[in-house]
Amino acid sequence: MQSVMTSGPSLEADSISIFRSILPGLESSKHKGQAGKIAVVGGCREYTGAPYFSAISALKIGADLSHVFCTKDAAPVIKSYSPELIVHPILEESYSIRDEDKSSISAKVIAEVEKWMERFDCLVVGPGLGRDPFLLDCVSNIMKHARECNVPMVIDGDGLYLVTNCLDLVSGYPLAVLTPNLNEYKRLVQKVLNSEVNDENGTDQLLSLAKGIGGVTILRKGKSDFVSDGKTACAVSVYGSPRRCGGQGDILSGSVAVFLSWAHQCADKGEVSMNPTILGCVAGSALLRKAASMAFDNKKRSTLTGDIIECLGRSLQEICPV
């Protein structure tokens, strides 16, 4: 997304300080799971790469466990990409079930997710989800359950399509993060503010949009990324890459999920004073941009999403050496 929103010195976030304030230490006394347990809800017949990119990025950054809840058709493909992911083939699309079975199948999906939900530190909703009506209906119920359990959510891709058409899923939920690109942001502005995108007063409009959805946090992707929870706004202008291969938004959603979980852990211990959701968004944005820049330096025009993922760990090490 290209944006003419300006990010003057007063808006630019101090991403280095944020990294240092929320990154957990690597200590031998810690056990599996303490560095983050992330779940991605997405993946259907047509789209298997997006949930993989999001889930594997979370692991590459430092989460201990990464789950994917996807359709039965997508599961074998996603499993073949990496044995590191825990894949749950529980979602269904309309074409594979009869109308009279939809109610019972939906109940089974929710019952299965309920067994896991309290274990997760953050949920990523949308990568490769598709727009099948029955599938979206099941995911709506998953999101409602996540809210009941106070699990933070990062919503991207088709998850944003779902939310734009049903704002009640996130309205008034401060643990929700929306990560819209140009077109997704435009649809949100039209839906919530009943207006067109206005980049001349872009920061004010972003604040109004976040406030209008009840205090969710919005990470507006662009030449500079802008983040707002309806009360404050900041920018991340770290140089990224001119190569715009598909899948970078999926890396971002997985990255934000990990940093979000770490920031909330710090907030629970009273170690940070700023909104931890804002901190997680800034850190996720800055790391993706640095990794994309590093990958482009190596691969130039042939840079692919996988190349960026492979640079996540090295980028984080340069920012905060172990």
Side-chain angles (χ1 to χ4, degrees):
M1 162 189 164
Q2 295 299 312
S3 169
V4 296
M5 283 178 70
T6 56
S7 58
S10 61
L11 270 184
E12 187 66 19
D14 185 354
S15 56
I16 301 298
S17 294
I18 288 173
F19 278 119
R20 291 172 178 166
S21 68
I22 66 175
L23 244 66
L26 294 175
E27 302 164 5
S28 58
S29 61
K30 289 187 175 181
H31 59 75
K32 180 178 66 179
Q34 282 186 288
K37 301 176 290 294
I38 308 302
V40 177
V41 179
C44 62
R45 278 189 305 171
E46 291 87 355
Y47 308 116
T48 57
Y52 164 75
F53 290 146
S54 184
I56 202 69
S57 295
L59 289 179
K60 290 284 188 179
I61 291 168
D64 286 340
L65 296 168
S66 199
H67 296 247
V68 177
F69 291 86
C70 60
T71 66
K72 293 178 179 178
D73 287 340
V77 183
I78 297 172
K79 285 183 178 182
S80 74
Y81 295 150
S82 173
E84 304 287 350
L85 306 180
I86 303 168
V87 182
H88 306 263
I90 65 169
L91 301 180
E92 298 273 10
E93 293 180 86
S94 300
Y95 76 90
S96 64
I97 56 176
R98 299 177 301 177
D99 287 345
E100 57 266 31
D101 294 331
K102 288 182 177 178
S103 179
S104 61
I105 290 174
S106 179
K108 288 179 181 178
V109 169
I110 297 304
E112 179 64 24
V113 174
E114 282 180 352
K115 295 191 303 187
W116 293 92
M117 187 66 74
E118 65 180 17
R119 308 184 191 189
F120 299 137
D121 298 303
C122 191
L123 207 63
V124 180
V125 180
L129 187 61
R131 297 186 180 182
D132 177 80
F134 177 72
L135 180 56
L136 292 179
D137 202 41
C138 286
V139 173
S140 296
N141 290 327
I142 292 173
M143 293 176 68
K144 291 173 185 176
H145 185 61
R147 283 191 68 159
E148 292 172 0
C149 297
N150 289 316
V151 176
M153 289 186 282
V154 180
I155 300 155
D156 187 40
D158 290 316
L160 289 169
Y161 169 82
L162 173 61
V163 163
T164 302
N165 290 313
C166 187
L167 289 170
D168 286 345
L169 290 171
V170 294
S171 181
Y173 190 53
L175 298 180
V177 174
L178 312 185
T179 60
N181 60 22
L182 173 64
N183 290 324
E184 292 159 347
Y185 186 78
K186 180 180 179 180
R187 287 192 289 268
L188 279 169
V189 168
Q190 290 172 337
K191 176 80 173 186
V192 178
L193 303 179
N194 195 29
S195 63
E196 297 301 317
V197 174
N198 178 4
D199 280 328
E200 290 185 4
N201 297 302
T203 303
D204 290 339
Q205 189 175 60
L206 179 60
L207 283 160
S208 297
L209 181 61
K211 191 180 299 182
I213 310 177
V216 302
T217 297
I218 298 175
L219 195 171
R220 179 186 175 179
K221 298 181 286 193
K223 185 176 180 181
S224 293
D225 290 343
F226 290 84
V227 182
S228 177
D229 59 359
K231 299 176 182 177
T232 62
C234 60
V236 181
S237 303
V238 177
Y239 182 73
S241 167
R243 169 79 166 120
R244 303 306 305 155
C245 55
Q248 294 184 61
D250 304 312
I251 300 176
L252 178 65
S253 63
S255 301
V256 169
V258 178
F259 287 115
L260 206 60
S261 67
W262 290 345
H264 278 286
Q265 287 176 10
C266 292
D268 290 342
K269 292 183 287 187
E271 296 175 351
V272 295
S273 57
M274 191 174 176
N275 182 351
T277 307
I278 293 276
L279 299 179
C281 288
V282 170
S285 169
L287 183 65
L288 167 62
R289 286 167 170 270
K290 183 171 177 58
S293 176
M294 188 177 290
F296 184 77
D297 285 344
N298 294 333
K299 297 295 185 72
K300 304 304 181 187
R301 290 184 184 272
S302 67
T303 303
L304 298 178
T305 305
D307 301 317
I308 300 172
I309 290 172
E310 288 307 310
C311 290
L312 288 170
R314 190 150 51 98
S315 298
L316 191 54
Q317 173 66 12
E318 286 192 6
I319 296 168
C320 292
V322 172

